[in-house]
Amino acid sequence: MTKILFTDKLDSCVERWRSAGMTVIGPVQRANSSVYGAVKSASELDLNLVLTDRSIKELFFPQSEPMLRYAITKAEINTDEFLPPSGPRIIFGARACDASGLAIDDPLFGWDYKDEYWFQRRNESVIVTIACTKADEFCMCTSLKLSPDSTKGSDILLRPLENNKGWQVEELTDRGREAFKSVADLLQEGSDPAAATVTVPEKFNADACAEWLKNPENFESRFWKEISARCIGCGSCTYLCPTCHCFDIQDEGGSFEGIRRKNWDSCSFALFTMHTSGHNPRSTQSARWRQRIMHKFNYFPGKFSANSCSGCGRCTRECPVDMGITETLQEISKLSQ
Amino acid sequence: MKIVDRHDEAPGVRTMKLEFQDPADHELFKETYRTGMFGLYGVYGEGESTFCVASPETRKEYIECTFRESGRVTSALARADIGDLVTFRGPYGNRFPLEEFYGKNLLFIAGGIALPPTRSVIWSCLDQREKFGKVTIVYGARTVADLVYKHELEEWMQRDDVELVLAVDPGGESPDWKHRIGFVPTVLEEAAPSPDNCVAVLCGPPIMIKFTLISLKKLGFDESNVYTTLENRMKCGLGKCGRCNVGSIYVCKEGPVFTAEEVSRMPAADL
């Protein structure tokens, strides 16, 4: 018998989780933008979106994060490390593409040196994903061998019931089981039929693209200049991407006291690879776009056995010049035929 | 780390000698540092900048670094005086495989401010001279003033177990310049070191490396016996921030030391 969480019990769940000391986070509207934000009650959650504007990434890898405070006196330098804010939290209403994005980045942050900022947050977060019953023209998870009900990166998968009555609960991990144990009495056993997950048509052939990208002859193809001609290098695709992880380290403050921060950066920015000498290995926007595509669909899979893309489509949805990964990979699919 | 000594090498180029403040940090450095590795040197409020450890792995009591004053961080480092504290993160990256060089002749080729990483290997070898065959150093700079480590060049010149070929670019000579005039690849071809049982270590600006590799090929050197360091822009040093990627390579983790054969497999446009 399937466990069911009925919609009218969600507020009690939120209350229960909050009183157990968990921060409850979910899709909310903030300053004309939809984000994953902390809520006090279920009524604040906006669960009818196709997708939040901003990805789940910033809950684990904030746009700007203090790493260290320094204070310098005549005799010595004193430093205090900032540690990631600690505390259990439950992210209710993640999308499968966002949860997958976290799983995709785990090996990167765990490779060799384990990034404690990332993993403390990962270990303290329960990801409750709701399978998608709607999509838009930009969604492309199926092209990346994922799906609207993918379990990758999730602790709980909820399948919406017909008529928005609630969700079927699939417990995927111990962390998820633990979080739902505290609301067990609010769940019901039942066999209510789940609504059909949305069908997302495949937009490109990722395997064929990977083969084309691996061929060294295509590195200098004119294709890169043509496909990226209208890219303005704003970097919004990288900032909104759930898997993009490039960052910079900057000092903020004066000579005697201040903070060292880790800030998002972007391979789309002209200065990203600029040497102090003036030499810039990727001095053109087309070289930078090539790097972005190569990194996501050739280099990253070579190293971590997964595409660095979960198909959320935000790169295209929010691009000010209507570019994006989808179009590029569609064109590569055609070239590789 | 505390600056215990510093001196100017050339216009805008300075060497600093740094000593560890924390014995535990020093022990860790002694355990891990091998020639070829790099560090992130910093001044709080200004940030961090990447350059090599210029001192050899045979002398781990201190760190020497040589840098050109060219940006915000290096300007702040240049302003720091003896007794001041600066930060050091590292050592990071891979190393020159010195054990594989045992019993072989060594050819060092450096251009301008790229002598510091080469110097780390040179002294690591000269401090255990008996393990290596013939040692040849080819070093060139734009002008006589731009040559770094002048006192050490003098020392190598005097040694009978080192052959030093010094050069400056045409027009960079002074009236009393007694050495060669010409670009490094040309001077190298004139010196014509034998590739037999020889390993070459090559450091320099990208354009010098490009043409020197052609010269080495003409001289009969196999790319697998030529080592170089890639000095990409780096920030985290830990293979995460994405800045130093050349193709799939994280230079900060998988480099900075590569054979010319490995470099030839990387996308040239990314270098």
Side-chain angles (χ1 to χ4, degrees), chain A residues 307-324:
Chain A
N307 290 308
S308 175
C309 175
S310 61
C312 72
R314 287 185 181 93
C315 53
T316 315
R317 198 179 281 112
E318 307 292 344
C319 176
V321 295
D322 293 331
M323 267 181 65

PDB file of all heavy atoms in Angstrom, chain A residues 307-324:
ATOM      1  N   ASN A 307      26.999  13.907 -17.647  1.00  0.00           N
ATOM      2  CA  ASN A 307      26.951  15.237 -18.243  1.00  0.00           C
ATOM      3  C   ASN A 307      26.777  16.261 -17.138  1.00  0.00           C
ATOM      4  O   ASN A 307      26.054  16.025 -16.167  1.00  0.00           O
ATOM      5  CB  ASN A 307      25.768  15.351 -19.205  1.00  0.00           C
ATOM      6  CG  ASN A 307      25.977  14.532 -20.456  1.00  0.00           C
ATOM      7  OD1 ASN A 307      27.007  14.645 -21.118  1.00  0.00           O
ATOM      8  ND2 ASN A 307      25.003  13.688 -20.777  1.00  0.00           N
ATOM      9  N   SER A 308      27.426  17.410 -17.295  1.00  0.00           N
ATOM     10  CA  SER A 308      27.251  18.479 -16.306  1.00  0.00           C
ATOM     11  C   SER A 308      26.049  19.335 -16.712  1.00  0.00           C
ATOM     12  O   SER A 308      26.153  20.546 -16.928  1.00  0.00           O
ATOM     13  CB  SER A 308      28.515  19.325 -16.224  1.00  0.00           C
ATOM     14  OG  SER A 308      28.310  20.409 -15.360  1.00  0.00           O
ATOM     15  N   CYS A 309      24.899  18.671 -16.834  1.00  0.00           N
ATOM     16  CA  CYS A 309      23.661  19.343 -17.242  1.00  0.00           C
ATOM     17  C   CYS A 309      22.526  18.421 -16.854  1.00  0.00           C
ATOM     18  O   CYS A 309      22.597  17.223 -17.097  1.00  0.00           O
ATOM     19  CB  CYS A 309      23.653  19.573 -18.751  1.00  0.00           C
ATOM     20  SG  CYS A 309      22.109  20.259 -19.390  1.00  0.00           S
ATOM     21  N   SER A 310      21.502  19.004 -16.211  1.00  0.00           N
ATOM     22  CA  SER A 310      20.376  18.162 -15.815  1.00  0.00           C
ATOM     23  C   SER A 310      19.121  18.497 -16.612  1.00  0.00           C
ATOM     24  O   SER A 310      18.053  17.980 -16.318  1.00  0.00           O
ATOM     25  CB  SER A 310      20.126  18.285 -14.314  1.00  0.00           C
ATOM     26  OG  SER A 310      19.822  19.611 -13.980  1.00  0.00           O
ATOM     27  N   GLY A 311      19.280  19.362 -17.610  1.00  0.00           N
ATOM     28  CA  GLY A 311      18.177  19.595 -18.528  1.00  0.00           C
ATOM     29  C   GLY A 311      17.090  20.529 -18.038  1.00  0.00           C
ATOM     30  O   GLY A 311      15.964  20.504 -18.535  1.00  0.00           O
ATOM     31  N   CYS A 312      17.389  21.402 -17.087  1.00  0.00           N
ATOM     32  CA  CYS A 312      16.346  22.304 -16.568  1.00  0.00           C
ATOM     33  C   CYS A 312      15.935  23.341 -17.596  1.00  0.00           C
ATOM     34  O   CYS A 312      14.826  23.872 -17.538  1.00  0.00           O
ATOM     35  CB  CYS A 312      16.809  22.991 -15.277  1.00  0.00           C
ATOM     36  SG  CYS A 312      18.078  24.260 -15.512  1.00  0.00           S
ATOM     37  N   GLY A 313      16.869  23.666 -18.512  1.00  0.00           N
ATOM     38  CA  GLY A 313      16.541  24.616 -19.580  1.00  0.00           C
ATOM     39  C   GLY A 313      16.610  26.075 -19.183  1.00  0.00           C
ATOM     40  O   GLY A 313      16.291  26.949 -20.003  1.00  0.00           O
ATOM     41  N   ARG A 314      17.029  26.362 -17.945  1.00  0.00           N
ATOM     42  CA  ARG A 314      17.067  27.778 -17.531  1.00  0.00           C
ATOM     43  C   ARG A 314      18.002  28.593 -18.421  1.00  0.00           C
ATOM     44  O   ARG A 314      17.769  29.774 -18.650  1.00  0.00           O
ATOM     45  CB  ARG A 314      17.534  27.895 -16.072  1.00  0.00           C
ATOM     46  CG  ARG A 314      16.497  27.462 -15.039  1.00  0.00           C
ATOM     47  CD  ARG A 314      17.005  27.741 -13.634  1.00  0.00           C
ATOM     48  NE  ARG A 314      16.078  27.323 -12.599  1.00  0.00           N
ATOM     49  CZ  ARG A 314      16.104  26.128 -11.995  1.00  0.00           C
ATOM     50  NH1 ARG A 314      16.984  25.231 -12.355  1.00  0.00           N
ATOM     51  NH2 ARG A 314      15.230  25.845 -11.049  1.00  0.00           N
ATOM     52  N   CYS A 315      19.097  27.959 -18.908  1.00  0.00           N
ATOM     53  CA  CYS A 315      20.065  28.692 -19.735  1.00  0.00           C
ATOM     54  C   CYS A 315      19.376  29.289 -20.957  1.00  0.00           C
ATOM     55  O   CYS A 315      19.694  30.402 -21.383  1.00  0.00           O
ATOM     56  CB  CYS A 315      21.215  27.770 -20.143  1.00  0.00           C
ATOM     57  SG  CYS A 315      20.702  26.236 -20.919  1.00  0.00           S
ATOM     58  N   THR A 316      18.436  28.571 -21.520  1.00  0.00           N
ATOM     59  CA  THR A 316      17.727  29.065 -22.697  1.00  0.00           C
ATOM     60  C   THR A 316      16.550  29.940 -22.284  1.00  0.00           C
ATOM     61  O   THR A 316      16.308  31.007 -22.875  1.00  0.00           O
ATOM     62  CB  THR A 316      17.198  27.879 -23.537  1.00  0.00           C
ATOM     63  OG1 THR A 316      18.228  26.909 -23.656  1.00  0.00           O
ATOM     64  CG2 THR A 316      16.771  28.332 -24.920  1.00  0.00           C
ATOM     65  N   ARG A 317      15.838  29.501 -21.262  1.00  0.00           N
ATOM     66  CA  ARG A 317      14.621  30.207 -20.817  1.00  0.00           C
ATOM     67  C   ARG A 317      14.924  31.659 -20.453  1.00  0.00           C
ATOM     68  O   ARG A 317      14.167  32.557 -20.745  1.00  0.00           O
ATOM     69  CB  ARG A 317      14.036  29.460 -19.610  1.00  0.00           C
ATOM     70  CG  ARG A 317      12.601  29.771 -19.283  1.00  0.00           C
ATOM     71  CD  ARG A 317      12.135  28.957 -18.084  1.00  0.00           C
ATOM     72  NE  ARG A 317      11.801  27.569 -18.403  1.00  0.00           N
ATOM     73  CZ  ARG A 317      12.492  26.501 -17.985  1.00  0.00           C
ATOM     74  NH1 ARG A 317      13.542  26.642 -17.215  1.00  0.00           N
ATOM     75  NH2 ARG A 317      12.110  25.294 -18.326  1.00  0.00           N
ATOM     76  N   GLU A 318      16.067  31.873 -19.822  1.00  0.00           N
ATOM     77  CA  GLU A 318      16.378  33.203 -19.302  1.00  0.00           C
ATOM     78  C   GLU A 318      17.423  33.950 -20.122  1.00  0.00           C
ATOM     79  O   GLU A 318      17.835  35.041 -19.752  1.00  0.00           O
ATOM     80  CB  GLU A 318      16.892  33.091 -17.854  1.00  0.00           C
ATOM     81  CG  GLU A 318      15.983  32.326 -16.912  1.00  0.00           C
ATOM     82  CD  GLU A 318      14.671  33.039 -16.620  1.00  0.00           C
ATOM     83  OE1 GLU A 318      14.580  34.255 -16.893  1.00  0.00           O
ATOM     84  OE2 GLU A 318      13.730  32.364 -16.155  1.00  0.00           O
ATOM     85  N   CYS A 319      17.883  33.374 -21.220  1.00  0.00           N
ATOM     86  CA  CYS A 319      18.950  34.027 -21.995  1.00  0.00           C
ATOM     87  C   CYS A 319      18.421  35.292 -22.664  1.00  0.00           C
ATOM     88  O   CYS A 319      17.403  35.248 -23.363  1.00  0.00           O
ATOM     89  CB  CYS A 319      19.487  33.076 -23.061  1.00  0.00           C
ATOM     90  SG  CYS A 319      20.728  33.840 -24.125  1.00  0.00           S
ATOM     91  N   PRO A 320      19.092  36.418 -22.470  1.00  0.00           N
ATOM     92  CA  PRO A 320      18.596  37.666 -23.066  1.00  0.00           C
ATOM     93  C   PRO A 320      18.679  37.699 -24.585  1.00  0.00           C
ATOM     94  O   PRO A 320      18.056  38.545 -25.227  1.00  0.00           O
ATOM     95  CB  PRO A 320      19.472  38.745 -22.431  1.00  0.00           C
ATOM     96  CG  PRO A 320      20.680  38.044 -21.934  1.00  0.00           C
ATOM     97  CD  PRO A 320      20.279  36.642 -21.628  1.00  0.00           C
ATOM     98  N   VAL A 321      19.469  36.805 -25.189  1.00  0.00           N
ATOM     99  CA  VAL A 321      19.556  36.788 -26.654  1.00  0.00           C
ATOM    100  C   VAL A 321      19.060  35.463 -27.238  1.00  0.00           C
ATOM    101  O   VAL A 321      19.376  35.117 -28.377  1.00  0.00           O
ATOM    102  CB  VAL A 321      20.996  37.088 -27.135  1.00  0.00           C
ATOM    103  CG1 VAL A 321      21.403  38.504 -26.761  1.00  0.00           C
ATOM    104  CG2 VAL A 321      21.995  36.086 -26.586  1.00  0.00           C
ATOM    105  N   ASP A 322      18.268  34.743 -26.442  1.00  0.00           N
ATOM    106  CA  ASP A 322      17.654  33.496 -26.915  1.00  0.00           C
ATOM    107  C   ASP A 322      18.653  32.468 -27.440  1.00  0.00           C
ATOM    108  O   ASP A 322      18.444  31.855 -28.484  1.00  0.00           O
ATOM    109  CB  ASP A 322      16.606  33.792 -28.009  1.00  0.00           C
ATOM    110  CG  ASP A 322      15.429  34.554 -27.444  1.00  0.00           C
ATOM    111  OD1 ASP A 322      15.146  34.372 -26.254  1.00  0.00           O
ATOM    112  OD2 ASP A 322      14.820  35.354 -28.178  1.00  0.00           O
ATOM    113  N   MET A 323      19.760  32.360 -26.727  1.00  0.00           N
ATOM    114  CA  MET A 323      20.683  31.257 -27.035  1.00  0.00           C
ATOM    115  C   MET A 323      20.461  30.157 -26.011  1.00  0.00           C
ATOM    116  O   MET A 323      19.471  30.147 -25.321  1.00  0.00           O
ATOM    117  CB  MET A 323      22.130  31.739 -26.905  1.00  0.00           C
ATOM    118  CG  MET A 323      22.748  32.240 -28.168  1.00  0.00           C
ATOM    119  SD  MET A 323      24.446  32.736 -27.858  1.00  0.00           S
ATOM    120  CE  MET A 323      25.229  31.200 -27.411  1.00  0.00           C
ATOM    121  N   GLY A 324      21.396  29.293 -25.880  1.00  0.00           N
ATOM    122  CA  GLY A 324      21.290  28.294 -24.825  1.00  0.00           C
ATOM    123  C   GLY A 324      21.829  26.968 -25.276  1.00  0.00           C
ATOM    124  O   GLY A 324      22.119  26.751 -26.458  1.00  0.00           O
TER     125      GLY A 324
END
